Amino acid sequence: MKVGFIGLGTMGGSMAFNTIQGGHELVVHDIRRESATRHLEAGATWADSPREVAEASDIVFTSLPGPTEVEAVFLGEDGILQGMSAGKVYFDLSTSTPNLIRRLHDIASGQGVDVLDAPVSRSEEHTSELQSRTNLVCRLLLEKKKTKHKQKQT
């Protein structure tokens, strides 16, 4: 499964790196390319925009400072939504607002895209648990995708 990750700060960087260790292909983007150095050295692919991350990925995660950044990265020019297609999934790990996530969900659902809100603590102490959750989500979505593929074949 190809995983996209946008926002490679303390929390996002650790979770994104763990997706590589979990055996997933990783596509990354951050406003500071140097934040992706260890990911790229470990085999991740760089994308020049959030849209490119979404186009190249089955699932996209963001870990951003707040709702303003989430809205801009998802809906903005070259944003995630422009690169999403039916069946793809977007997880926002940022501390955002329920109204914003509902609005993003309403907009994206028209394209057949699932939007999920999964805010995480801003403490590095919790990154190992969060990394495990990230890998679990990827495994579950991969199984879902395999099941759909098998159903189409029959």
Side-chain angles (χ1 to χ4, degrees), residues 98-118:
N99 287 338
L100 174 61
I101 297 303
R102 281 188 209 103
R103 190 167 65 99
L104 298 182
H105 175 269
D106 291 345
I107 293 167
S109 63
Q111 289 182 216
V113 173
D114 291 314
V115 173
L116 297 135
D117 185 24

Side-chain angles (χ1 to χ4, degrees), residues 4 9 12-13 17 23 25 29 40-41 43 45 52-54 67 75 78 84-87 98 106 116 133 135 145 148:
F17 192 77
E25 293 180 61
H29 179 78
L40 299 172
E41 289 172 352
T45 302
E52 288 182 16
V53 170
L75 296 175
D78 277 332
M84 296 293 263
S85 56
D106 291 345
L116 297 135
R133 287 183 191 177
N135 280 328
K145 192 174 184 177
K148 283 184 179 181

